[in-house]
Amino acid sequence: MYAFTVDTSAKAELYRDLRSALDALTADEPDAVANMANAAALIWQYLPDLNWAGFYRLVGSELVLGPFQGKPACIRIAMGSGVCGTVAATLATQLVDDVHAFPGHIACDADSRSELVVPVVRDGMLIGVLDLDSPIAARFDAADAAGVEALAALLAGRI
Ligand code: SME
């Protein structure tokens, strides 16, 4: 059983605790799927107001669905397509306050209103993206982006 103390009252503390928990969960495990699955579950459990959290992995020249929490989702996303494909093509985080205003947004879950996608990069090479969706518009801010980027940086060596 894994039980973590996570302070959800302030974002900096929340992400610090999440990073520590993720570190503990993945430090001794070499299997990428297991680590992505536990990362998605941890994020899903502790971040409020999400309707989807998970990974798309770079497989060949496209993104393919990885471990996640939420409704079944689109399986393959072309580079440059939608929010995830844009992040994969540019290696830059996307903070989308209103997904309906994002050109080419791919609606996997009609409930999604805002989205945060960060690249997972190791040694300058794209491994995949970590995608969080919320049913609330403008759910994510710069503190969320920085916090989730820190989680992705930790995971990059472990998936
Ligand atoms: N909305 C994403 C697709 C993935 S789902 O949100 C899980 C996009 O536009 O890339």
Side-chain angles (χ1 to χ4, degrees):
M1 186 186 82
Y2 293 102
F4 300 102
T5 301
V6 175
D7 179 356
T8 57
S9 62
K11 280 189 184 174
E13 284 73 22
L14 168 59
Y15 282 107
R16 183 200 60 209
D17 290 349
L18 265 184
R19 192 188 178 287
S20 296
L22 186 60
D23 187 23
L25 272 173
T26 58
D28 299 323
E29 178 50 63
D31 188 87
V33 173
N35 288 340
M36 285 186 280
N38 261 339
L42 193 71
I43 289 167
W44 182 255
Q45 185 174 5
Y46 288 110
L47 291 187
D49 302 320
L50 301 182
N51 63 313
W52 203 89
F55 294 86
Y56 281 89
R57 302 157 298 123
L58 180 65
V59 180
S61 60
E62 63 185 351
L63 295 172
V64 181
L65 184 64
F68 69 95
Q69 299 278 315
K71 290 181 184 172
C74 329
I75 298 169
R76 292 174 186 269
I77 297 177
M79 294 293 274
S81 179
V83 186
C84 292
T86 298
V87 170
T90 60
L91 302 185
T93 293
Q94 285 282 339
L95 194 54
V96 181
D97 285 347
D98 174 6
V99 295
H100 299 307
F102 189 95
H105 169 256
I106 300 164
C108 292
D109 181 341
D111 289 339
S112 294
R113 284 293 172 272
S114 59
E115 187 160 357
L116 169 61
V117 182
V118 310
V120 183
V121 176
R122 183 173 60 224
D123 300 329
M125 304 286 286
L126 180 74
I127 300 169
V129 303
L130 175 51
D131 178 14
L132 307 188
D133 286 30
S134 173
I136 297 171
R139 154 68 181 80
F140 307 103
D141 62 15
D144 292 293
V148 177
E149 284 171 351
L151 300 180
L154 172 67
L155 278 172
R158 299 178 181 180
I159 64 174

